Amino acid sequence: MSLALARKYRPRNFATVAVQNHVANTLKGAIARGRVAHGYLLCGPRGTGKTTLARVLAMALNCERRGEPELQGEPCGHCGSCQRIWSGSASLDVVEIDAASNRGVDDARELRERAMYAPSGDDRYKVYIVDEAHMLTREAWNALLKILEEPPPRVVFVFATTEPQKIAQQAAPILSRLQRFDLKRIGPAEIRERLAAVLAEEQVAFEQDALGMIARAADGGLRDALSLTDQVLSLGESAAVTAERVQTALGLIPDDEYLALLDMVAERRAVDVFAAVQRLADAGVDFVLVLSGLGDLLRAQLAIALGGVPPELPERMRAALETRKDRLAANDLLRMLHALLELEPMYRRSGQPQLLLETLLVRFALLDRTIELQEVLQGFGSGGREDPPSRRVSHEPRVASAHALPSAPPAAVASAPGMPSAQAVAQVMAPPVPTPRPATGQVADAAAASQLADRHAAPRVPTAPPTIERVTKEWRAVADAIRAKGRGMLAQAVERLVPITITPNGGLTLGYDPLDDTFAQAADNSRADVLAAAQGVFGGVSSVTLKPYTPPASDKPARDTTVRMTAHDVQRQRTEQIASRSPLLDAAVKALDLELLD
């Protein structure tokens, strides 16, 4: 039976452990200087060398040539003790325990009792290697607290885990009794270098692009990379490792498929999305891999669009993306990446991944129908000048069209179907004159001029008070005037008041239902605003008074006509409040029929 590459090429000393020099050099120095600790905690992703470092440490402590000056803390790797420990065979002084299946308090007590026995020789160490240490229960850790604080002579515990945060949550005192080392993820360049050395030793021809594909699929784990290489070598009669064989053996999606999706989005061919995704489904691909590969492609295209160089990208793929860098703007690519990240948590739990992928690609293909609100305002009439601080738009809530695409990313805050750019919007709104000026710019200038005129206007001439009939007939205009200032709740309260009488001096008396005085209290607290609105509509109103009022029986409605606020009313009022802070934003809301999303 052949030996797996991950076992056959497991490092035999600290020097050959890939990437983890900060851990290997510290352990080697501790052995060489006689400063070996009684407990170590090795943390890191899978396949990065935790168990390997633990075995090399055990080999160095029990090597038959230990202490020779030329070794300098390294194991020889060839003596009988080193061979047994390296291969995982039975050894009296090295015990490996799987904490996933030995996680209870009884297992911890047995380990504690075994640790009390001395090593087999006076110059040897008893080493206990506990894999998947985060699987131990709280009670098991508590049983080990004392022996980890005061262990017997020449006993070393090495715990390996991929989730150290669980140990911190279950048994925080353990961490102060161990030396902790965090292992790094192994980068694609180091994985390719290691695979090239292994394949050269095996006398197998290979392509660099094929090694790059294996390195990306390994996701930072060298053991995974060696296992995938074994899988590729098992396919077919040819011994060479080629890109085609890697794609076939690992079920990877060809780069041409991703480029076809990118071209589809860039050319706005939303109708072709469903056929392309169905073709991938018929090929039996994993849509999670499609989503991951699409994210990597968009990330690389964004780096190229910004003038950078994406790392770890095949030369053929880099050249293909270079030719496409002008087809999609950087802000569009950023919005795509943001939408993809928002979808990913839902994607892994969904029972319809194909539908989610189709809708995502359709959204990408329809990005030309969304524009940023900042571009709309600039195209509407800032005239190339920066707005003064009093008129500058800076609102955190997002405003979007009622026809906006669902779950649009934050960068795409405004949407107007059929309007590919802010300049097109400005041209539609501009008056037909030889030198057109955007209509919203005129609205903003008019609003500013109106505010300036209000500040410098001459005192108004007192006018005669209106009749009670006119006030009753046009009372809703007062509520509309208050609503236009962004006071939607107060406008709702004013609509429920009933004009009763008005004196020759302009004293207006308003009645309210004594059985429901909630709105009357709101109006009474803002009586000055109600008076200002009434003066603006009628003129001649000098004061406002509220009192309970019960209409005659003939005027009572036959049924309850109370108007209750809905979620749409609240949303509309919030939009009006935000828009009232800026004339430009108010003009954009009215011109594009925008609504507040969140």
Side-chain angles (χ1 to χ4, degrees):
M1 182 176 178
S2 63
L3 196 62
L5 295 179
R7 295 181 57 192
K8 184 177 181 180
Y9 291 95
R10 183 188 292 272
R12 295 174 180 265
N13 52 40
F14 292 114
T16 55
V17 177
V19 177
Q20 317 300 344
N21 292 334
H22 63 295
V23 182
N25 292 338
T26 302
L27 295 178
K28 182 174 66 173
I31 295 172
R33 295 171 180 81
R35 301 184 62 86
V36 179
H38 62 272
Y40 295 97
L41 178 62
L42 303 180
C43 316
R46 69 180 192 277
T48 54
K50 300 182 295 296
T51 305
T52 295
L53 283 169
R55 286 188 181 181
V56 173
L57 174 65
M59 290 166 58
L61 291 174
N62 293 290
C63 181
E64 297 175 1
R65 297 174 55 191
R66 177 171 172 263
E68 295 183 5
E70 62 271 13
L71 292 178
Q72 297 182 351
E74 291 273 17
C76 70
H78 301 288
C79 64
S81 175
C82 289
Q83 288 285 0
R84 285 193 301 272
I85 298 173
W86 177 81
S87 61
S89 303
S91 175
L92 293 176
D93 297 317
V94 178
V95 180
E96 292 193 26
I97 301 173
D98 177 22
S101 55
N102 300 275
R103 59 192 305 263
V105 62
D106 293 334
D107 300 305
R109 289 172 180 166
E110 181 182 355
L111 175 61
R112 183 180 61 190
E113 293 172 359
R114 293 175 59 181
M116 302 305 295
Y117 292 97
S120 60
D122 294 337
D123 58 344
R124 300 178 70 84
Y125 281 78
K126 203 133 183 123
V127 182
Y128 292 92
I129 302 174
V130 183
D131 259 331
E132 306 296 333
H134 60 274
M135 299 295 292
L136 291 175
T137 63
R138 185 189 303 273
E139 293 76 13
W141 282 117
N142 290 335
L144 294 175
L145 279 176
K146 186 62 177 177
I147 195 169
L148 289 178
E149 185 174 5
E150 297 178 358
R154 292 179 288 124
V155 173
V156 177
F157 292 91
V158 183
F159 297 93
T161 179
T162 56
E163 301 181 40
Q165 70 277 3
K166 289 188 176 180
I167 299 178
Q169 294 170 0
Q170 294 181 356
I174 287 291
L175 299 180
S176 62
R177 292 164 167 80
L178 304 173
Q179 290 188 13
R180 173 173 172 171
F181 294 94
D182 290 282
L183 279 67
K184 306 175 184 177
R185 289 170 58 90
I186 302 178
E190 289 81 6
I191 292 179
R192 286 202 313 270
E193 182 180 352
R194 181 63 174 169
L195 290 180
V198 169
L199 292 177
E201 185 72 19
E202 291 288 319
Q203 298 182 353
V204 175
F206 58 87
E207 296 177 358
Q208 288 294 338
D209 287 347
L211 298 188
M213 296 168 64
I214 295 175
R216 290 194 299 272
D219 194 23
L222 185 55
R223 182 180 64 235
D224 292 0
L226 291 171
S227 299
L228 293 175
T229 305
D230 259 334
Q231 185 175 339
V232 173
L233 292 176
S234 302
L235 177 67
E237 299 179 356
S238 175
V241 178
T242 63
E244 183 179 357
R245 290 188 66 188
V246 172
Q247 288 180 356
T248 304
L250 305 186
L252 301 180
I253 302 172
D255 293 339
D256 293 338
E257 292 289 347
Y258 292 117
L259 291 175
L261 294 178
L262 185 64
D263 291 338
M264 188 186 310
V265 171
E267 296 169 5
R268 310 304 182 189
R269 293 186 283 113
V271 69
D272 295 337
V273 166
F274 302 97
V277 175
Q278 186 60 44
R279 185 174 65 252
L280 293 175
D282 294 340
V285 302
D286 185 355
F287 285 113
V288 175
L289 295 179
V290 175
L291 198 70
S292 176
L294 184 61
D296 293 339
L297 179 70
L298 294 176
R299 170 177 172 268
Q301 184 69 80
L302 178 60
I304 292 176
L306 294 174
V309 178
E312 302 302 331
L313 192 67
E315 190 60 35
R316 174 179 172 274
M317 197 69 171
R318 191 195 311 274
L321 294 181
E322 284 286 352
T323 61
R324 293 167 170 80
K325 67 177 181 180
D326 297 328
R327 304 181 66 179
L328 287 171
N331 58 341
D332 286 342
L333 291 168
L334 188 61
R335 290 156 65 186
M336 292 180 193
L337 284 171
H338 192 281
L340 190 146
L341 292 175
E342 285 184 340
L343 179 67
E344 186 176 10
M346 184 193 312
Y347 198 88
R348 296 183 181 278
R349 301 190 304 268
S350 174
Q352 294 184 330
Q354 180 176 346
L355 180 60
L356 289 179
L357 180 62
E358 289 171 347
T359 55
L360 179 69
L361 292 175
V362 169
R363 286 175 55 188
F364 289 173
L366 296 179
L367 277 181
D368 60 332
R369 301 189 184 185
T370 60
I371 53 178
E372 292 187 6
L373 184 58
Q374 182 180 2
E375 296 179 1
V376 175
L377 298 181
Q378 290 176 352
F380 271 168
S382 62
R385 303 184 304 273
E386 183 180 3
D387 291 333
S390 62
R391 293 172 55 192
R392 191 169 299 154
V393 181
S394 177
H395 302 296
E396 290 184 1
R398 291 183 290 158
V399 182
S401 167
H403 305 287
L405 296 174
S407 303
V413 293
S415 173
M419 301 173 66
S421 66
Q423 288 75 12
V425 177
Q427 292 174 4
V428 172
M429 299 298 297
V433 293
T435 55
R437 175 170 175 73
T440 311
Q442 295 178 353
V443 173
D445 293 343
S450 175
Q451 295 175 2
L452 185 63
D454 290 341
R455 291 197 296 268
H456 298 287
R460 296 180 179 178
V461 178
T463 58
T467 62
I468 190 62
E469 290 79 9
R470 181 191 170 196
V471 173
T472 302
K473 182 179 180 180
E474 302 179 10
W475 182 244
R476 186 175 180 83
V478 178
D480 293 339
I482 294 175
R483 185 177 289 107
K485 295 182 179 180
R487 301 291 303 278
M489 294 296 296
L490 180 58
Q492 293 277 349
V494 169
E495 286 180 345
R496 287 163 173 76
L497 301 178
V498 180
I500 302 176
T501 60
I502 187 168
T503 65
N505 296 328
L508 178 61
T509 301
L510 303 174
Y512 63 88
D513 186 358
L515 300 179
D516 184 10
D517 61 349
T518 303
F519 291 101
Q521 293 178 4
D524 190 51
N525 294 334
S526 303
R527 190 179 302 179
D529 296 329
V530 177
L531 176 61
Q535 290 175 343
V537 174
F538 305 114
V541 179
S542 60
S543 64
V544 173
T545 304
L546 277 72
K547 73 173 187 178
Y549 172 70
T550 302
S554 59
D555 296 339
K556 291 183 179 180
R559 57 185 179 86
D560 185 12
T561 58
T562 302
V563 180
R564 302 185 181 276
M565 294 188 65
T566 64
H568 178 73
D569 296 331
V570 176
Q571 185 183 53
R572 176 172 54 82
Q573 293 171 11
R574 289 183 61 198
T575 304
E576 293 171 353
Q577 292 175 2
I578 294 174
S580 65
R581 302 174 190 170
S582 168
L584 287 178
L585 186 59
D586 184 44
V589 169
K590 292 178 179 178
L592 299 179
D593 190 23
L594 303 181
E595 292 182 358
L596 185 71
L597 286 183
D598 54 27

